[in-house]
Amino acid sequence: MSGEPSARVGGHAAVGAGTDLSVRARELRVLHDAILSGLHPDARPRAVVARSWQRVMGMGLDADAGGSRDPLPAAEVERRRAGSALHLVIDELRHVLTSVADASAFLMVVTDADGVVLWREGSSRVRRQADVLGFAEGATWTEGAVGTNAIGTALAESAPVELFSAEHYENAQHPWYCSAWPIHDPRTGRLIGVVDVSGPALTLHPAIRMLVESAVRLAEARLLRLHADRLELLRRHAEPLLAGSSGPALVVDDLGWVAHRRGVGGHERTAAPVEGQPLAIPGVGLCLPERFADHGWLLRPGHTERLLRARLDLATGVLSVDADSDGWRRQLTRRHVELLRLVAAAGTAGVTARTLSTALYGDADHEVTVRAELSRLRKAVGALVDTQPYRIAASVELVVLSEQPPAG
């Protein structure tokens, strides 16, 4: 199952401007029934739909399933809300989406990274219809739970997804459209949830996906502003601590983001500090993290070496920095080993996320995923990797050891 529908649409859109929704819905139902019956029709679903149907059929899900989704208890939903950064931006999402939801007959749905619905707001009529479908707070809307749906498929693809009518796998979801956009924590690049707008299929408008994207962009910008505010507060807390001392120093938060620097180059992030473990700062050397405040660390050099020497062992996935009694080692994931290898191979010219996407996935469509992985890599190795473009820091000498031992 591959290929695109005859109606050409751009990006992740399910329908284009001027599409006759009733006709398109009938076409999709015929296509859905034919493929699930084992036939090979001339028409094909969109590539994102085909991939999802393949995954779902491989799980053995029943297209006739539906109804109650056995939602989590209300107390667990509240716990997940409180523990998620999404609660910091739910008001921004409401402002953009629910202010028009009743008039537009749709729902705003926000899930966490597990696909659990944390908030569902909007048209009272559409909420009642969603209740019948089991599309309620506390329900899990992953592909494994409810088949192909915009939320679950966005999580599986790490990309925006819009679905119309019988592009959904379950028959009960065919009267719906869903337009979903992943939302990330800008501090870490980690996907923290999905924002979705859903409603009756024949009310889908091409502007819906742009509305969802705008809401997510505003929410992520809000998270970034809150992050900057926390760093500024940390900087103010650090000022009295640094007033009576001299020499280079960095003040960072728990994730390694720099709140303040003195006598140190323009690093924006270090590796995440760990109590008692020396931290390598290019241009400074090894620093022993000192805890202060509730979420801050003071980094001051305890080593005179200015050039940091590191070794990446491709066979074991271990990164060693100044591997002596003062050094440290990190066990990296296979994906992070490959990213670090590609960044190192690019040399001083560096490499873009687009180029890395092509090297890792064979296309340039996974830039968002690559940027998120690089953010997580920099949490582990910090300022050893510079950005814009991605490259090994100038004051780091990185040796990459081959996976195969040399002959002889």
Side-chain angles (χ1 to χ4, degrees):
M1 293 184 295
S2 62
E4 300 296 328
S6 57
R8 294 186 178 275
V9 294
H12 68 282
V15 299
T19 299
D20 187 318
L21 297 180
S22 296
V23 171
R24 184 64 184 147
R26 287 195 296 272
E27 292 173 346
L28 288 171
R29 283 196 293 272
V30 171
L31 178 62
H32 175 276
D33 292 347
I35 290 177
L36 267 63
S37 298
L39 303 178
H40 300 282
D42 292 335
R44 290 291 183 267
R46 291 185 295 142
V48 66
V49 176
R51 290 193 298 269
S52 179
W53 285 5
Q54 285 180 326
R55 289 191 295 267
V56 170
M57 286 189 284
M59 299 174 196
L61 267 68
D62 182 3
D64 291 322
S68 176
R69 303 297 181 183
D70 192 21
L72 296 175
E76 173 61 14
V77 174
E78 286 299 329
R79 186 192 69 79
R80 286 174 176 256
R81 285 175 174 176
S84 170
L86 291 168
H87 82 273
L88 300 171
V89 294
I90 189 62
D91 287 342
E92 277 75 12
L93 295 172
R94 286 187 179 115
H95 177 72
V96 176
L97 297 175
T98 64
S99 59
V100 294
D102 278 320
S104 302
F106 66 65
L107 298 179
M108 177 196 78
V109 177
V110 181
T111 80
D112 62 15
D114 296 325
V116 175
V117 177
L118 300 185
W119 289 274
R120 188 199 67 168
E121 302 178 14
S123 166
S124 57
R125 177 175 63 84
V126 181
R127 283 203 307 271
R128 289 192 295 271
Q129 295 172 343
D131 288 340
V132 176
L133 195 63
F135 194 25
E137 290 178 356
T140 299
W141 274 69
T142 59
E143 287 186 338
V146 300
T148 301
N149 72 97
I151 293 168
T153 304
L155 289 171
E157 296 271 333
S158 297
V161 173
E162 185 174 78
L163 298 177
F164 174 69
S165 187
E167 290 183 322
H168 293 89
Y169 184 77
E170 285 188 355
N171 294 316
Q173 297 176 43
H174 290 183
W176 290 80
Y177 77 80
C178 298
S179 190
W181 198 285
I183 183 168
H184 296 81
D185 185 335
R187 301 172 304 163
T188 63
R190 183 173 62 89
L191 188 150
I192 56 175
V194 172
V195 178
D196 170 81
V197 162
S198 294
L202 299 187
T203 66
L204 175 59
H205 190 281
I208 289 291
R209 64 184 180 275
M210 292 181 282
L211 185 65
V212 179
E213 179 185 4
S214 296
V216 169
R217 297 301 187 209
L218 285 171
E220 289 178 340
R222 171 64 174 163
L223 287 174
L224 198 57
R225 290 195 301 273
L226 291 172
H227 171 55
D229 291 344
R230 286 191 292 268
L231 289 181
E232 174 59 22
L233 181 61
L234 187 58
R235 185 193 66 78
R236 292 201 299 268
H237 285 166
E239 285 178 341
L241 185 66
L242 294 173
S245 62
S246 60
L250 287 172
V251 175
V252 304
D253 69 4
D254 283 332
L255 295 174
W257 288 101
V258 176
H260 182 63
R261 61 176 58 86
R262 184 182 64 193
V264 182
H267 305 305
E268 63 174 11
R269 190 176 186 182
T270 72
V274 177
E275 187 76 48
Q277 180 173 295
L279 196 61
I281 308 296
V284 178
L286 290 174
C287 303
L288 189 65
E290 305 170 44
R291 189 63 149 158
F292 81 97
D294 291 333
H295 59 287
W297 299 85
L298 176 62
L299 306 178
R300 291 185 282 202
H303 194 287
T304 58
E305 186 71 42
R306 309 293 286 186
L307 178 68
L308 292 178
R309 293 178 172 84
R311 183 175 68 248
L312 175 63
D313 190 326
L314 297 180
T316 63
V318 172
L319 175 70
S320 305
V321 177
D322 283 341
D324 53 29
S325 59
D326 292 324
W328 55 261
R329 292 158 59 89
R330 291 276 195 279
Q331 179 67 58
L332 302 181
T333 66
R334 182 174 295 275
R335 177 63 75 202
H336 287 172
V337 168
E338 182 63 8
L339 277 171
L340 192 55
R341 183 189 70 79
L342 290 170
V343 170
T348 57
V351 62
T352 65
R354 184 178 182 85
T355 300
L356 289 170
S357 173
T358 301
L360 291 172
Y361 298 100
D363 57 53
D365 298 336
H366 292 77
E367 283 189 72
V368 172
T369 301
V370 167
R371 291 183 189 280
E373 285 292 349
L374 282 162
S375 183
R376 286 189 282 271
L377 172 63
R378 295 189 77 231
K379 180 183 175 183
V381 306
L384 271 66
V385 176
D386 280 342
T387 60
Q388 297 179 345
Y390 297 101
R391 61 193 182 278
I392 303 300
S395 55
V396 175
E397 180 183 279
L398 175 64
V399 176
V400 178
L401 303 181
S402 171
E403 292 185 87
Q404 298 296 329

